[in-house]
mmCIF file of all heavy atoms in Angstrom:
data_model
loop_
_atom_site.group_PDB
_atom_site.id
_atom_site.type_symbol
_atom_site.label_atom_id
_atom_site.label_comp_id
_atom_site.label_asym_id
_atom_site.label_seq_id
_atom_site.Cartn_x
_atom_site.Cartn_y
_atom_site.Cartn_z
ATOM 1 N N PHE G 794 60.041 73.239 131.905
ATOM 2 C CA PHE G 794 59.289 74.044 130.938
ATOM 3 C C PHE G 794 58.368 75.030 131.671
ATOM 4 O O PHE G 794 58.274 76.182 131.273
ATOM 5 C CB PHE G 794 58.475 73.099 130.050
ATOM 6 C CG PHE G 794 57.744 73.819 128.952
ATOM 7 C CD1 PHE G 794 58.378 74.129 127.756
ATOM 8 C CD2 PHE G 794 56.401 74.142 129.067
ATOM 9 C CE1 PHE G 794 57.718 74.769 126.709
ATOM 10 C CE2 PHE G 794 55.710 74.760 128.036
ATOM 11 C CZ PHE G 794 56.390 75.071 126.867
ATOM 12 N N ARG G 795 57.723 74.568 132.710
ATOM 13 C CA ARG G 795 56.819 75.439 133.472
ATOM 14 C C ARG G 795 57.546 76.642 134.058
ATOM 15 O O ARG G 795 57.000 77.735 134.141
ATOM 16 C CB ARG G 795 56.167 74.654 134.624
ATOM 17 C CG ARG G 795 55.132 73.604 134.175
ATOM 18 C CD ARG G 795 54.583 72.863 135.387
ATOM 19 N NE ARG G 795 53.915 73.790 136.282
ATOM 20 C CZ ARG G 795 52.605 74.124 136.168
ATOM 21 N NH1 ARG G 795 51.862 73.588 135.214
ATOM 22 N NH2 ARG G 795 52.061 74.962 137.010
ATOM 23 N N LEU G 796 58.826 76.442 134.424
ATOM 24 C CA LEU G 796 59.617 77.487 135.044
ATOM 25 C C LEU G 796 60.455 78.263 134.066
ATOM 26 O O LEU G 796 61.333 79.043 134.459
ATOM 27 C CB LEU G 796 60.497 76.875 136.148
ATOM 28 C CG LEU G 796 59.737 76.185 137.287
ATOM 29 C CD1 LEU G 796 60.721 75.479 138.201
ATOM 30 C CD2 LEU G 796 58.930 77.226 138.070
ATOM 31 N N SER G 797 60.255 78.026 132.766
ATOM 32 C CA SER G 797 61.026 78.671 131.715
ATOM 33 C C SER G 797 62.518 78.342 131.793
ATOM 34 O O SER G 797 63.362 79.127 131.385
ATOM 35 C CB SER G 797 60.865 80.223 131.758
ATOM 36 O OG SER G 797 59.519 80.561 131.439
ATOM 37 N N ASN G 798 62.784 77.159 132.332
ATOM 38 C CA ASN G 798 64.145 76.683 132.443
ATOM 39 C C ASN G 798 64.443 75.802 131.226
ATOM 40 O O ASN G 798 64.617 74.584 131.327
ATOM 41 C CB ASN G 798 64.373 75.913 133.758
ATOM 42 C CG ASN G 798 65.791 75.494 133.963
ATOM 43 O OD1 ASN G 798 66.712 75.935 133.226
ATOM 44 N ND2 ASN G 798 66.048 74.636 134.939
ATOM 45 N N GLN G 799 64.455 76.409 130.035
ATOM 46 C CA GLN G 799 64.666 75.698 128.775
ATOM 47 C C GLN G 799 65.368 76.655 127.826
ATOM 48 O O GLN G 799 65.644 77.786 128.160
ATOM 49 C CB GLN G 799 63.359 75.181 128.207
ATOM 50 C CG GLN G 799 62.084 75.949 128.594
ATOM 51 C CD GLN G 799 61.944 77.323 128.021
ATOM 52 O OE1 GLN G 799 62.741 77.783 127.265
ATOM 53 N NE2 GLN G 799 60.903 78.018 128.417
ATOM 54 N N ASN G 800 65.660 76.163 126.604
ATOM 55 C CA ASN G 800 66.468 76.948 125.671
ATOM 56 C C ASN G 800 65.623 77.614 124.570
ATOM 57 O O ASN G 800 66.167 77.986 123.513
ATOM 58 C CB ASN G 800 67.531 76.070 125.009
ATOM 59 C CG ASN G 800 68.679 75.777 125.957
ATOM 60 O OD1 ASN G 800 69.065 76.676 126.769
ATOM 61 N ND2 ASN G 800 69.223 74.593 125.897
ATOM 62 N N LEU G 801 64.321 77.749 124.742
ATOM 63 C CA LEU G 801 63.524 78.478 123.760
ATOM 64 C C LEU G 801 64.060 79.900 123.700
ATOM 65 O O LEU G 801 64.561 80.475 124.706
ATOM 66 C CB LEU G 801 62.051 78.505 124.175
ATOM 67 C CG LEU G 801 61.340 77.130 124.257
ATOM 68 C CD1 LEU G 801 59.884 77.349 124.580
ATOM 69 C CD2 LEU G 801 61.500 76.351 122.969
ATOM 70 N N MET G 802 63.949 80.533 122.549
ATOM 71 C CA MET G 802 64.527 81.871 122.369
ATOM 72 C C MET G 802 63.930 82.926 123.278
ATOM 73 O O MET G 802 64.596 83.881 123.611
ATOM 74 C CB MET G 802 64.376 82.287 120.892
ATOM 75 C CG MET G 802 65.362 81.637 119.965
ATOM 76 S SD MET G 802 67.098 81.876 120.483
ATOM 77 C CE MET G 802 67.219 83.676 120.346
ATOM 78 N N ILE G 803 62.689 82.745 123.757
ATOM 79 C CA ILE G 803 62.098 83.708 124.611
ATOM 80 C C ILE G 803 62.895 83.829 125.905
ATOM 81 O O ILE G 803 63.006 84.906 126.517
ATOM 82 C CB ILE G 803 60.611 83.337 124.962
ATOM 83 C CG1 ILE G 803 59.918 84.481 125.719
ATOM 84 C CG2 ILE G 803 60.532 82.045 125.735
ATOM 85 C CD1 ILE G 803 59.789 85.754 124.937
ATOM 86 N N GLU G 804 63.531 82.703 126.305
ATOM 87 C CA GLU G 804 64.334 82.711 127.541
ATOM 88 C C GLU G 804 65.816 82.890 127.225
ATOM 89 O O GLU G 804 66.526 83.704 127.860
ATOM 90 C CB GLU G 804 64.128 81.402 128.301
ATOM 91 C CG GLU G 804 64.940 81.295 129.594
ATOM 92 C CD GLU G 804 64.635 82.373 130.592
ATOM 93 O OE1 GLU G 804 63.584 83.027 130.506
ATOM 94 O OE2 GLU G 804 65.485 82.594 131.487
ATOM 95 N N LYS G 805 66.318 82.173 126.217
ATOM 96 C CA LYS G 805 67.738 82.298 125.864
ATOM 97 C C LYS G 805 68.035 83.708 125.392
ATOM 98 O O LYS G 805 69.113 84.267 125.673
ATOM 99 C CB LYS G 805 68.079 81.282 124.736
ATOM 100 C CG LYS G 805 69.541 81.214 124.433
ATOM 101 C CD LYS G 805 69.850 80.102 123.430
ATOM 102 C CE LYS G 805 71.341 80.009 123.152
ATOM 103 N NZ LYS G 805 71.651 78.927 122.209
ATOM 104 N N GLY G 806 67.141 84.318 124.645
ATOM 105 C CA GLY G 806 67.344 85.685 124.168
ATOM 106 C C GLY G 806 67.405 86.700 125.316
ATOM 107 O O GLY G 806 68.064 87.719 125.190
ATOM 108 N N ARG G 807 66.756 86.400 126.418
ATOM 109 C CA ARG G 807 66.825 87.260 127.592
ATOM 110 C C ARG G 807 68.239 87.295 128.128
ATOM 111 O O ARG G 807 68.768 88.357 128.480
ATOM 112 C CB ARG G 807 65.848 86.791 128.658
ATOM 113 C CG ARG G 807 65.708 87.711 129.844
ATOM 114 C CD ARG G 807 64.632 87.188 130.792
ATOM 115 N NE ARG G 807 65.043 85.957 131.440
ATOM 116 C CZ ARG G 807 65.756 85.911 132.563
ATOM 117 N NH1 ARG G 807 66.127 87.059 133.152
ATOM 118 N NH2 ARG G 807 66.100 84.780 133.103
ATOM 119 N N HIS G 808 68.876 86.146 128.177
ATOM 120 C CA HIS G 808 70.267 86.056 128.659
ATOM 121 C C HIS G 808 71.237 86.718 127.673
ATOM 122 O O HIS G 808 72.252 87.275 128.092
ATOM 123 C CB HIS G 808 70.672 84.608 128.868
ATOM 124 C CG HIS G 808 69.905 83.920 129.974
ATOM 125 N ND1 HIS G 808 70.156 84.189 131.295
ATOM 126 C CD2 HIS G 808 68.925 83.002 129.956
ATOM 127 C CE1 HIS G 808 69.339 83.463 132.058
ATOM 128 N NE2 HIS G 808 68.576 82.744 131.271
ATOM 129 N N LEU G 809 70.912 86.640 126.404
ATOM 130 C CA LEU G 809 71.778 87.211 125.381
ATOM 131 C C LEU G 809 71.495 88.670 125.092
ATOM 132 O O LEU G 809 72.074 89.251 124.177
ATOM 133 C CB LEU G 809 71.649 86.408 124.102
ATOM 134 C CG LEU G 809 72.087 84.944 124.145
ATOM 135 C CD1 LEU G 809 71.779 84.231 122.838
ATOM 136 C CD2 LEU G 809 73.584 84.815 124.469
ATOM 137 N N LYS G 810 70.570 89.267 125.878
ATOM 138 C CA LYS G 810 70.198 90.674 125.736
ATOM 139 C C LYS G 810 69.583 90.974 124.352
ATOM 140 O O LYS G 810 69.770 92.074 123.800
ATOM 141 C CB LYS G 810 71.402 91.591 125.950
ATOM 142 C CG LYS G 810 72.195 91.320 127.234
ATOM 143 C CD LYS G 810 71.325 91.518 128.468
ATOM 144 C CE LYS G 810 72.151 91.306 129.751
ATOM 145 N NZ LYS G 810 71.318 91.407 130.999
ATOM 146 N N ILE G 811 68.873 90.010 123.791
ATOM 147 C CA ILE G 811 68.178 90.189 122.521
ATOM 148 C C ILE G 811 66.808 90.809 122.761
ATOM 149 O O ILE G 811 66.092 90.316 123.703
ATOM 150 C CB ILE G 811 68.052 88.867 121.761
ATOM 151 C CG1 ILE G 811 69.436 88.279 121.442
ATOM 152 C CG2 ILE G 811 67.232 89.033 120.478
ATOM 153 C CD1 ILE G 811 69.404 86.883 120.834
ATOM 154 N N ASP G 812 66.443 91.776 122.037
ATOM 155 C CA ASP G 812 65.138 92.398 122.196
ATOM 156 C C ASP G 812 64.035 91.333 122.053
ATOM 157 O O ASP G 812 64.145 90.431 121.228
ATOM 158 C CB ASP G 812 64.922 93.496 121.114
ATOM 159 C CG ASP G 812 63.644 94.297 121.393
ATOM 160 O OD1 ASP G 812 62.601 93.879 120.868
ATOM 161 O OD2 ASP G 812 63.726 95.300 122.115
ATOM 162 N N LYS G 813 63.024 91.440 122.899
ATOM 163 C CA LYS G 813 61.988 90.409 122.943
ATOM 164 C C LYS G 813 61.348 90.191 121.564
ATOM 165 O O LYS G 813 61.047 89.031 121.200
ATOM 166 C CB LYS G 813 60.927 90.802 123.950
ATOM 167 C CG LYS G 813 59.912 89.703 124.229
ATOM 168 C CD LYS G 813 58.977 90.102 125.366
ATOM 169 C CE LYS G 813 57.987 88.957 125.694
ATOM 170 N NZ LYS G 813 57.102 89.336 126.819
ATOM 171 N N SER G 814 61.157 91.229 120.779
ATOM 172 C CA SER G 814 60.537 91.113 119.484
ATOM 173 C C SER G 814 61.436 90.368 118.473
ATOM 174 O O SER G 814 60.949 89.964 117.393
ATOM 175 C CB SER G 814 60.179 92.501 118.921
ATOM 176 O OG SER G 814 61.343 93.287 118.758
ATOM 177 N N ASP G 815 62.713 90.227 118.792
ATOM 178 C CA ASP G 815 63.637 89.574 117.883
ATOM 179 C C ASP G 815 63.998 88.146 118.305
ATOM 180 O O ASP G 815 64.835 87.500 117.691
ATOM 181 C CB ASP G 815 64.938 90.397 117.777
ATOM 182 C CG ASP G 815 64.728 91.729 117.098
ATOM 183 O OD1 ASP G 815 63.882 91.787 116.194
ATOM 184 O OD2 ASP G 815 65.397 92.700 117.513
ATOM 185 N N ARG G 816 63.346 87.644 119.325
ATOM 186 C CA ARG G 816 63.612 86.280 119.791
ATOM 187 C C ARG G 816 62.782 85.291 118.982
ATOM 188 O O ARG G 816 61.875 84.652 119.483
ATOM 189 C CB ARG G 816 63.342 86.147 121.288
ATOM 190 C CG ARG G 816 64.160 87.123 122.122
ATOM 191 C CD ARG G 816 63.746 87.061 123.575
ATOM 192 N NE ARG G 816 64.237 88.227 124.315
ATOM 193 C CZ ARG G 816 63.926 88.507 125.580
ATOM 194 N NH1 ARG G 816 63.140 87.695 126.278
ATOM 195 N NH2 ARG G 816 64.419 89.580 126.155
ATOM 196 N N LYS G 817 63.129 85.180 117.706
ATOM 197 C CA LYS G 817 62.300 84.430 116.756
ATOM 198 C C LYS G 817 62.575 82.936 116.755
ATOM 199 O O LYS G 817 63.673 82.480 117.064
ATOM 200 C CB LYS G 817 62.509 84.990 115.342
ATOM 201 C CG LYS G 817 62.131 86.481 115.190
ATOM 202 C CD LYS G 817 60.660 86.716 115.432
ATOM 203 C CE LYS G 817 60.285 88.187 115.333
ATOM 204 N NZ LYS G 817 60.485 88.755 114.018
ATOM 205 N N CYS G 818 61.538 82.228 116.366
ATOM 206 C CA CYS G 818 61.657 80.763 116.198
ATOM 207 C C CYS G 818 62.575 80.494 114.992
ATOM 208 O O CYS G 818 62.529 81.144 113.971
ATOM 209 C CB CYS G 818 60.246 80.189 115.925
ATOM 210 S SG CYS G 818 60.220 78.409 115.557
ATOM 211 N N PHE G 819 63.451 79.479 115.128
ATOM 212 C CA PHE G 819 64.373 79.103 114.063
ATOM 213 C C PHE G 819 63.628 78.607 112.821
ATOM 214 O O PHE G 819 64.127 78.719 111.702
ATOM 215 C CB PHE G 819 65.321 78.004 114.549
ATOM 216 C CG PHE G 819 66.415 78.490 115.472
ATOM 217 C CD1 PHE G 819 66.201 78.461 116.831
ATOM 218 C CD2 PHE G 819 67.617 78.958 114.956
ATOM 219 C CE1 PHE G 819 67.227 78.925 117.695
ATOM 220 C CE2 PHE G 819 68.609 79.397 115.802
ATOM 221 C CZ PHE G 819 68.406 79.384 117.172
ATOM 222 N N PHE G 820 62.424 78.100 113.033
ATOM 223 C CA PHE G 820 61.693 77.447 111.935
ATOM 224 C C PHE G 820 60.542 78.276 111.408
ATOM 225 O O PHE G 820 60.090 78.116 110.296
ATOM 226 C CB PHE G 820 61.193 76.064 112.405
ATOM 227 C CG PHE G 820 62.220 75.328 113.223
ATOM 228 C CD1 PHE G 820 62.073 75.238 114.598
ATOM 229 C CD2 PHE G 820 63.360 74.765 112.638
ATOM 230 C CE1 PHE G 820 63.032 74.583 115.374
ATOM 231 C CE2 PHE G 820 64.297 74.128 113.385
ATOM 232 C CZ PHE G 820 64.134 74.038 114.770
ATOM 233 N N CYS G 821 60.021 79.168 112.256
ATOM 234 C CA CYS G 821 58.938 80.092 111.902
ATOM 235 C C CYS G 821 59.535 81.499 112.131
ATOM 236 O O CYS G 821 59.266 82.107 113.147
ATOM 237 C CB CYS G 821 57.699 79.897 112.728
ATOM 238 S SG CYS G 821 57.155 78.187 112.859
ATOM 239 N N THR G 822 60.262 81.954 111.229
ATOM 240 C CA THR G 822 61.071 83.173 111.416
ATOM 241 C C THR G 822 60.276 84.447 111.627
ATOM 242 O O THR G 822 60.827 85.492 111.934
ATOM 243 C CB THR G 822 62.027 83.377 110.214
ATOM 244 O OG1 THR G 822 61.247 83.384 109.000
ATOM 245 C CG2 THR G 822 63.057 82.261 110.160
ATOM 246 N N ASN G 823 58.959 84.358 111.481
ATOM 247 C CA ASN G 823 58.104 85.538 111.709
ATOM 248 C C ASN G 823 57.393 85.424 113.063
ATOM 249 O O ASN G 823 56.535 86.269 113.370
ATOM 250 C CB ASN G 823 57.069 85.687 110.597
ATOM 251 C CG ASN G 823 56.129 84.515 110.512
ATOM 252 O OD1 ASN G 823 56.479 83.405 110.926
ATOM 253 N ND2 ASN G 823 54.934 84.730 110.010
ATOM 254 N N GLN G 824 57.716 84.407 113.859
ATOM 255 C CA GLN G 824 57.059 84.196 115.145
ATOM 256 C C GLN G 824 58.076 84.174 116.306
ATOM 257 O O GLN G 824 59.155 83.597 116.156
ATOM 258 C CB GLN G 824 56.287 82.864 115.125
ATOM 259 C CG GLN G 824 55.153 82.792 114.133
ATOM 260 C CD GLN G 824 53.990 83.704 114.480
ATOM 261 O OE1 GLN G 824 53.700 83.910 115.668
ATOM 262 N NE2 GLN G 824 53.353 84.274 113.466
ATOM 263 N N ILE G 825 57.713 84.790 117.412
ATOM 264 C CA ILE G 825 58.545 84.719 118.596
ATOM 265 C C ILE G 825 58.477 83.319 119.181
ATOM 266 O O ILE G 825 57.358 82.740 119.300
ATOM 267 C CB ILE G 825 58.090 85.738 119.655
ATOM 268 C CG1 ILE G 825 58.293 87.175 119.138
ATOM 269 C CG2 ILE G 825 58.829 85.539 120.957
ATOM 270 C CD1 ILE G 825 57.741 88.239 120.039
ATOM 271 N N GLU G 826 59.604 82.758 119.479
ATOM 272 C CA GLU G 826 59.625 81.383 120.040
ATOM 273 C C GLU G 826 59.427 81.430 121.546
ATOM 274 O O GLU G 826 60.355 81.441 122.320
ATOM 275 C CB GLU G 826 60.935 80.683 119.716
ATOM 276 C CG GLU G 826 60.861 79.197 120.083
ATOM 277 C CD GLU G 826 62.190 78.471 119.902
ATOM 278 O OE1 GLU G 826 63.257 79.059 120.233
ATOM 279 O OE2 GLU G 826 62.168 77.316 119.456
ATOM 280 N N ASN G 827 58.168 81.501 121.957
ATOM 281 C CA ASN G 827 57.850 81.419 123.365
ATOM 282 C C ASN G 827 57.153 80.104 123.679
ATOM 283 O O ASN G 827 56.989 79.237 122.819
ATOM 284 C CB ASN G 827 56.994 82.624 123.775
ATOM 285 C CG ASN G 827 55.724 82.740 122.908
ATOM 286 O OD1 ASN G 827 55.269 81.781 122.310
ATOM 287 N ND2 ASN G 827 55.171 83.947 122.886
ATOM 288 N N GLU G 828 56.696 79.940 124.902
ATOM 289 C CA GLU G 828 56.114 78.678 125.334
ATOM 290 C C GLU G 828 54.853 78.349 124.534
ATOM 291 O O GLU G 828 54.614 77.193 124.167
ATOM 292 C CB GLU G 828 55.784 78.730 126.834
ATOM 293 C CG GLU G 828 56.987 78.658 127.753
ATOM 294 C CD GLU G 828 57.620 80.026 128.003
ATOM 295 O OE1 GLU G 828 57.169 81.016 127.386
ATOM 296 O OE2 GLU G 828 58.555 80.094 128.836
ATOM 297 N N SER G 829 54.016 79.330 124.299
ATOM 298 C CA SER G 829 52.758 79.047 123.610
ATOM 299 C C SER G 829 53.025 78.676 122.146
ATOM 300 O O SER G 829 52.352 77.766 121.600
ATOM 301 C CB SER G 829 51.817 80.250 123.696
ATOM 302 O OG SER G 829 52.400 81.398 123.098
ATOM 303 N N HIS G 830 53.975 79.327 121.476
ATOM 304 C CA HIS G 830 54.305 78.970 120.102
ATOM 305 C C HIS G 830 54.834 77.544 120.033
ATOM 306 O O HIS G 830 54.418 76.754 119.182
ATOM 307 C CB HIS G 830 55.315 79.938 119.535
ATOM 308 C CG HIS G 830 55.772 79.593 118.132
ATOM 309 N ND1 HIS G 830 54.956 79.752 117.059
ATOM 310 C CD2 HIS G 830 56.942 79.073 117.701
ATOM 311 C CE1 HIS G 830 55.615 79.341 115.962
ATOM 312 N NE2 HIS G 830 56.808 78.941 116.328
ATOM 313 N N PHE G 831 55.747 77.210 120.921
ATOM 314 C CA PHE G 831 56.350 75.877 120.931
ATOM 315 C C PHE G 831 55.274 74.797 121.205
ATOM 316 O O PHE G 831 55.222 73.765 120.521
ATOM 317 C CB PHE G 831 57.418 75.832 122.022
ATOM 318 C CG PHE G 831 57.970 74.457 122.277
ATOM 319 C CD1 PHE G 831 59.004 73.917 121.517
ATOM 320 C CD2 PHE G 831 57.470 73.691 123.346
ATOM 321 C CE1 PHE G 831 59.507 72.653 121.756
ATOM 322 C CE2 PHE G 831 57.986 72.426 123.607
ATOM 323 C CZ PHE G 831 59.004 71.897 122.815
ATOM 324 N N LEU G 832 54.443 75.062 122.183
ATOM 325 C CA LEU G 832 53.485 74.067 122.642
ATOM 326 C C LEU G 832 52.283 73.926 121.728
ATOM 327 O O LEU G 832 51.755 72.833 121.524
ATOM 328 C CB LEU G 832 53.033 74.387 124.045
ATOM 329 C CG LEU G 832 52.096 73.411 124.740
ATOM 330 C CD1 LEU G 832 52.781 72.032 124.908
ATOM 331 C CD2 LEU G 832 51.708 73.926 126.134
ATOM 332 N N ILE G 833 51.865 75.050 121.133
ATOM 333 C CA ILE G 833 50.584 75.047 120.441
ATOM 334 C C ILE G 833 50.682 75.075 118.921
ATOM 335 O O ILE G 833 49.964 74.354 118.204
ATOM 336 C CB ILE G 833 49.709 76.260 120.888
ATOM 337 C CG1 ILE G 833 49.552 76.276 122.402
ATOM 338 C CG2 ILE G 833 48.369 76.228 120.205
ATOM 339 C CD1 ILE G 833 48.892 75.041 122.966
ATOM 340 N N SER G 834 51.589 75.917 118.355
ATOM 341 C CA SER G 834 51.426 76.220 116.941
ATOM 342 C C SER G 834 52.626 75.931 116.037
ATOM 343 O O SER G 834 52.455 75.870 114.805
ATOM 344 C CB SER G 834 51.016 77.675 116.776
ATOM 345 O OG SER G 834 52.023 78.534 117.326
ATOM 346 N N CYS G 835 53.837 75.760 116.565
ATOM 347 C CA CYS G 835 54.970 75.559 115.673
ATOM 348 C C CYS G 835 54.744 74.273 114.875
ATOM 349 O O CYS G 835 54.618 73.187 115.450
ATOM 350 C CB CYS G 835 56.277 75.475 116.448
ATOM 351 S SG CYS G 835 57.733 75.353 115.366
ATOM 352 N N PRO G 836 54.721 74.360 113.521
ATOM 353 C CA PRO G 836 54.439 73.179 112.697
ATOM 354 C C PRO G 836 55.482 72.081 112.753
ATOM 355 O O PRO G 836 55.205 70.914 112.452
ATOM 356 C CB PRO G 836 54.339 73.766 111.270
ATOM 357 C CG PRO G 836 55.127 75.033 111.339
ATOM 358 C CD PRO G 836 54.929 75.574 112.703
ATOM 359 N N LEU G 837 56.684 72.414 113.220
ATOM 360 C CA LEU G 837 57.733 71.390 113.296
ATOM 361 C C LEU G 837 57.332 70.271 114.223
ATOM 362 O O LEU G 837 57.700 69.090 113.999
ATOM 363 C CB LEU G 837 59.029 72.047 113.823
ATOM 364 C CG LEU G 837 60.243 71.097 113.984
ATOM 365 C CD1 LEU G 837 60.714 70.635 112.611
ATOM 366 C CD2 LEU G 837 61.366 71.824 114.734
ATOM 367 N N TYR G 838 56.534 70.535 115.238
ATOM 368 C CA TYR G 838 56.194 69.532 116.249
ATOM 369 C C TYR G 838 54.771 68.982 116.073
ATOM 370 O O TYR G 838 54.274 68.307 116.975
ATOM 371 C CB TYR G 838 56.375 70.130 117.630
ATOM 372 C CG TYR G 838 57.617 70.930 117.798
ATOM 373 C CD1 TYR G 838 57.570 72.317 117.977
ATOM 374 C CD2 TYR G 838 58.880 70.310 117.789
ATOM 375 C CE1 TYR G 838 58.715 73.076 118.133
ATOM 376 C CE2 TYR G 838 60.048 71.066 117.921
ATOM 377 C CZ TYR G 838 59.949 72.437 118.079
ATOM 378 O OH TYR G 838 61.096 73.196 118.208
ATOM 379 N N SER G 839 54.158 69.273 114.960
ATOM 380 C CA SER G 839 52.750 68.861 114.740
ATOM 381 C C SER G 839 52.510 67.360 114.915
ATOM 382 O O SER G 839 51.578 66.961 115.575
ATOM 383 C CB SER G 839 52.306 69.293 113.367
ATOM 384 O OG SER G 839 52.173 70.704 113.284
ATOM 385 N N PRO G 840 53.382 66.498 114.375
ATOM 386 C CA PRO G 840 53.179 65.052 114.567
ATOM 387 C C PRO G 840 53.213 64.634 116.033
ATOM 388 O O PRO G 840 52.401 63.824 116.479
ATOM 389 C CB PRO G 840 54.310 64.412 113.772
ATOM 390 C CG PRO G 840 54.691 65.442 112.753
ATOM 391 C CD PRO G 840 54.505 66.755 113.458
ATOM 392 N N LEU G 841 54.123 65.217 116.784
ATOM 393 C CA LEU G 841 54.241 64.885 118.199
ATOM 394 C C LEU G 841 53.096 65.481 119.014
ATOM 395 O O LEU G 841 52.739 64.998 120.110
ATOM 396 C CB LEU G 841 55.585 65.393 118.777
ATOM 397 C CG LEU G 841 56.845 64.676 118.261
ATOM 398 C CD1 LEU G 841 58.082 65.399 118.748
ATOM 399 C CD2 LEU G 841 56.855 63.217 118.688
#
């Protein structure tokens, strides 16, 4: 995770040539799925 060696859209979208602004979270479709969103704010993982 520290090295961005994961499948979050911020990294996967880079490989797929998706514009950075369009690398959205599957569950929060108005938010870019980057490390901070995954770790801090995505409601899907709130219990964990």
